[in-house]
Amino acid sequence: MRAVVVEEYGVVPVVRDVPRPVAADGAVVLRVEATGLCRSDWHGWMGHDSDIVLPHVPGHELAGTIAAVGAGVTDWQVGDRVTTPFICACGQCEQCLEGNQQVCPNQLQPGFNYWGSFAEYVAVPYASVNLVRLPDDMDFATAAGLGCRFATSFRAVHQVGKVRAGERVAVFGCGGVGLSAVMIATALDAEVVAIDTNPEALALAREYGATHTLQASDQVAARIQDLGGAHVTIDALGSNDIVQQALSSVRPRGRHVQVGLLPNGVQLDVGRLIGQELSWLGSHGMPAHAYPEMLALVASGKLRPAELITRTITLDQTPAALAALSDGTTAGITVITPGSS
């Protein structure tokens, strides 16, 4: 099969032929119909993830058709249209048995622990726990965007941040995760403040329901406090500076939800956390069993993830697109279709 192969960190990958994955016991192999290009892939390419072993194939947001089924898989068959969370949980540990597959200590992540979906085929382990059947009317590109950014945002906003109608939500960073958070918080009838450096991203945030859009600056926290402060702040990018601004923007007893990765660590004003009784919450993906609520809102039209897709590229265009993330994130979500030319 053809795949995007990273042979050296920070060096533009190459597209070449590599062996097709085999369906191990309990696993399936998917023909990749669509896969998202995410900033997490950039972090991996830059060497920020210790699980990656070179040479490596990135890609963790995916949707496709089952091409092969491993021994012991009884509830899925060749030809089924599916997606999967980027966290493939074991299904047997204490956390999984409690329904918390997103923090499974035995998890495997395509594109990080093993070769991912920037390829014509990809393996999905623990298939009985991690596959999600696609609605008949959902296209593969939309489904691919659900697996990381949209599902991650849905859980961060709704299940972890517990955003309620009428609350003010400040979303820092309007890439794929942030724009998804804007759309989801708006659907929950929150008042959304979107912050980014990119005017095009802010224009999309307004389109998806943001009441206020602010150009990123050192005045953002003061401007949000002038509105009355945020009940919930979300760092959808991952930056020490953003964390500080978010914590300065939140109201007393408010909640901060950290979604963006912080590879260089972060400094916290713990005194403010204590004195204002703030909550610092981490949110990491969403398990497969939690997808039905999100899919129902998509089916109802309240959530419109297809509108977040602003660019579709081929496998051959992917190496340059991945490298270009060093200069900033393109507004909206980029989807790769490995079977196209």
Side-chain angles (χ1 to χ4, degrees):
M1 69 172 184
R2 299 176 73 239
V4 174
V5 182
V6 176
E7 297 178 331
E8 186 176 347
Y9 292 126
V11 175
V12 178
V14 296
V15 178
R16 62 178 174 87
D17 289 328
V18 298
R20 184 184 300 185
V22 175
D25 292 356
V28 301
V29 171
L30 302 186
R31 182 174 70 244
V32 181
E33 308 288 357
T35 181
L37 176 64
C38 177
R39 178 152 289 276
S40 297
D41 301 311
W42 178 85
H43 280 293
W45 172 63
M46 290 295 291
H48 297 162
D49 194 301
S50 60
D51 291 328
I52 291 176
V53 177
L54 299 180
H56 182 68
V57 176
H60 63 285
E61 289 185 309
L62 60 113
T65 306
I66 295 178
V69 176
V73 177
T74 59
D75 40 359
W76 299 97
Q77 60 186 7
V78 172
D80 285 345
R81 302 170 69 253
V82 297
T83 187
T84 179
F86 73 91
I87 297 166
C88 293
C90 74
Q92 299 297 320
C93 67
E94 178 183 3
Q95 293 296 332
C96 284
L97 294 176
E98 292 179 355
N100 297 314
Q101 286 90 346
Q102 75 281 354
V103 291
C104 169
N106 307 313
Q107 65 185 255
L108 295 173
Q109 296 184 18
F112 297 98
N113 302 105
Y114 69 96
W115 283 14
S117 55
F118 288 3
E120 293 176 320
Y121 293 87
V122 67
V124 178
Y126 313 122
S128 63
V129 181
N130 298 300
L131 291 182
V132 178
R133 193 178 304 278
L134 294 181
D136 292 339
D137 58 353
M138 180 173 287
D139 62 85
F140 286 112
T142 300
L146 297 178
C148 174
R149 282 168 281 192
F150 203 83
T152 293
S153 292
F154 185 81
R155 187 165 183 277
V157 172
H158 181 47
Q159 298 169 350
V160 176
K162 300 187 185 303
V163 169
R164 297 182 292 271
E167 290 191 315
R168 185 174 298 110
V169 179
V171 178
F172 289 80
C174 292
V177 172
L179 288 174
S180 298
V182 168
M183 181 181 287
I184 293 160
T186 298
L188 295 172
D189 295 321
E191 175 189 335
V192 179
V193 184
I195 304 99
D196 202 276
T197 59
N198 185 347
E200 293 180 8
L202 293 177
L204 287 176
R206 286 191 293 273
E207 184 178 329
Y208 302 145
T211 305
H212 312 277
T213 53
L214 302 178
Q215 188 78 22
S217 74
D218 57 6
Q219 300 301 310
V220 162
R223 294 182 67 183
I224 294 173
Q225 288 293 355
D226 287 343
L227 295 172
H231 298 82
V232 179
T233 55
I234 298 173
D235 178 1
L237 181 62
S239 158
N240 181 63
D241 288 342
I242 285 177
V243 169
Q244 310 314 320
Q245 290 182 37
L247 291 176
S248 296
S249 302
V250 74
R251 295 159 56 104
R253 307 202 75 248
R255 293 100 71 197
H256 172 74
V257 184
Q258 187 65 38
V259 180
L261 300 175
L262 295 163
N264 297 319
V266 66
Q267 294 180 331
L268 294 180
D269 182 354
V270 178
R272 178 170 171 76
L273 256 68
I274 296 168
Q276 297 291 303
E277 293 193 354
L278 307 181
S279 296
W280 169 284
L281 302 164
S283 190
H284 186 233
M286 188 172 82
H289 71 76
Y291 272 56
E293 182 181 13
M294 177 179 69
L295 292 175
L297 289 170
V298 173
S300 74
K302 288 201 73 173
L303 295 178
R304 307 174 308 282
E307 295 180 10
L308 297 169
I309 300 170
T310 55
R311 182 173 62 153
T312 301
I313 62 175
T314 66
L315 209 58
D316 289 313
Q317 294 171 314
T318 301
L322 177 65
L325 291 177
S326 296
D327 299 321
T329 304
T330 301
I333 288 177
T334 295
V335 170
I336 303 157
T337 52
S340 62
S341 58

